Amino acid sequence: MWAPPPGTPPHDEPKPFLHAMRSRDWAWWRPAVGLLLLAVVFGVAGAVLGVVGILTGISPDLTMGDLTDPGVLLVTNATLVVGIPVVWLAWAVAHGMRPGWSSSVLARLRWRLLPRFTLLAFLSLGLAIGLAVVLDLATGEGEVEGPVPGWGWLLVVVLLTTPLQSAAEEYLFRGYLSQAIAGWVRNPTVGAVLAALITAALFSLAHLPPDLLTFLDRFAFALAASAVVWLTGGLEAAIVLHAVNNVVVFLLAALLGGGVATESLPEGASVFPLLIGLAGTAAYVALVARWRRRGKPETRTAAQDLREPFLPAPVPAA
């Protein structure tokens, strides 16, 4: 059977990021196989790391209960980081495509975008988190307990592994899972909306929030991450948003005490700090949208139509 020469784009028409799976040899069962493979391999890998953690006395804490302990945070992050190579494996095995399609419409991570998005994230969400902590302390709802035990090691673990943990969650939720859901829907816009809503709900449930407000906070954060993926054609902006949020929260917890930056809203506490955080997240989305108009990132895949007997010139990524 005739096969396209190496380097030929896998799409006959330019596709948005969430439809990257819909290549020339698309079939409905491919995402199902990929999700099954992802669930099995990720589950086994997580279980192995969990057993190792238990045997060493340092167990992963996916309920976010004691993540100011450097050892617990390290094992927990390692358990989640496994998700990145597993997503790559799913792309290669189930789709026969380059793992880079899990990153962007260019089939690779666009490293050049990360510094700009990091600056935008610190100017919006980072400042909002800091303001929320100040307000929390000013109203007496937060308490400075001083640096947590082992805060030096905690800083090292946070700076070295938390960005990878954040990236892994994005590859899982805004990456493969969103692409699988959207891929089953022919209309790209409808697929993107469904993927954003479903993955936002699953993301919130995965973090086991104990109350409705915290659930809605995680849900809104996930929607923001989906929005910047749609705006930019890749995961870079969502990875940065997630990483800056987690790094800032853990740095504050390490230096000021675990009671300053909490994972849930205490009963009876003011919702203003939470609203400030949401405003910071919304500001980040707005800044990314503004940058998109000027930066003009690629939001469609390269394509070459092989459905006709002749071979027109490839269409570059748009």
Side-chain angles (χ1 to χ4, degrees):
M1 180 182 294
W2 179 84
T8 302
H11 304 98
D12 289 317
E13 299 175 345
K15 300 287 186 181
F17 175 68
L18 293 183
H19 263 195
M21 289 180 180
R22 297 183 71 94
S23 61
R24 240 172 246 112
D25 59 352
W26 157 261
W28 68 267
W29 53 265
R30 291 186 181 277
V33 172
L35 289 172
L36 179 61
L37 176 64
L38 191 150
V40 171
V41 177
F42 184 75
V44 170
V48 169
L49 285 174
V51 170
V52 171
I54 292 173
L55 293 178
T56 59
I58 304 175
S59 302
D61 186 4
L62 299 181
T63 64
M64 308 295 187
D66 191 24
L67 293 182
T68 56
D69 181 288
V72 173
L73 181 62
L74 177 61
V75 175
T76 300
N77 284 352
T79 303
L80 295 171
V81 169
V82 170
I84 297 177
V86 174
V87 166
W88 293 343
L89 180 65
W91 270 94
V93 173
H95 304 273
M97 296 174 68
R98 290 167 53 188
W101 291 110
S102 63
S103 299
S104 78
V105 293
L106 295 186
R108 58 177 172 81
L109 192 69
R110 297 168 293 182
W111 295 93
R112 61 184 173 82
L113 300 182
L114 298 182
R116 174 62 61 89
F117 290 148
T118 300
L119 176 61
L120 297 181
F122 274 111
L123 290 176
S124 52
L125 181 59
L127 290 178
I129 293 174
L131 179 59
V133 169
V134 170
L135 179 62
D136 211 30
L137 296 174
T139 57
E141 293 174 358
E143 182 180 354
V144 176
E145 302 168 353
V148 298
W151 65 272
W153 286 112
L154 181 59
L155 292 182
V156 172
V157 172
V158 168
L159 294 176
L160 293 182
T161 68
T162 295
L164 291 174
Q165 166 263 320
S166 302
E169 292 193 34
E170 292 309 310
Y171 271 99
L172 290 167
F173 287 98
R174 260 62 65 182
Y176 197 86
L177 184 55
S178 290
Q179 289 173 308
I181 294 170
W184 280 318
V185 182
R186 184 180 297 273
N187 185 293
T189 302
V190 175
V193 172
L194 286 176
L197 293 174
I198 294 173
T199 57
L202 294 175
F203 179 79
S204 299
L205 291 172
H207 287 75
L208 299 176
D211 57 76
L212 179 60
L213 281 177
T214 307
F215 178 90
L216 294 176
D217 178 57
R218 302 290 184 273
F219 190 88
F221 183 89
L223 290 182
S226 292
V228 295
V229 167
W230 178 80
L231 285 169
T232 62
L235 293 181
E236 297 87 357
I239 290 173
V240 168
L241 173 67
H242 202 145
V244 167
N245 177 81
N246 289 9
V247 167
V248 170
V249 167
F250 280 115
L251 289 181
L252 289 172
L255 297 175
L256 301 180
V260 172
T262 60
E263 286 294 327
S264 61
L265 188 67
E267 185 177 355
S270 170
V271 299
F272 286 114
L274 185 148
L275 294 177
I276 292 173
L278 288 177
T281 303
Y284 176 74
V285 175
L287 289 173
V288 170
R290 181 175 180 271
W291 169 84
R292 178 181 185 258
R293 292 192 293 270
R294 299 170 58 184
K296 300 185 184 305
E298 306 88 352
T299 57
R300 299 272 173 172
T301 66
Q304 184 171 356
D305 194 345
L306 302 184
R307 293 171 297 185
E308 300 293 339
F310 57 89
L311 303 180
V315 177

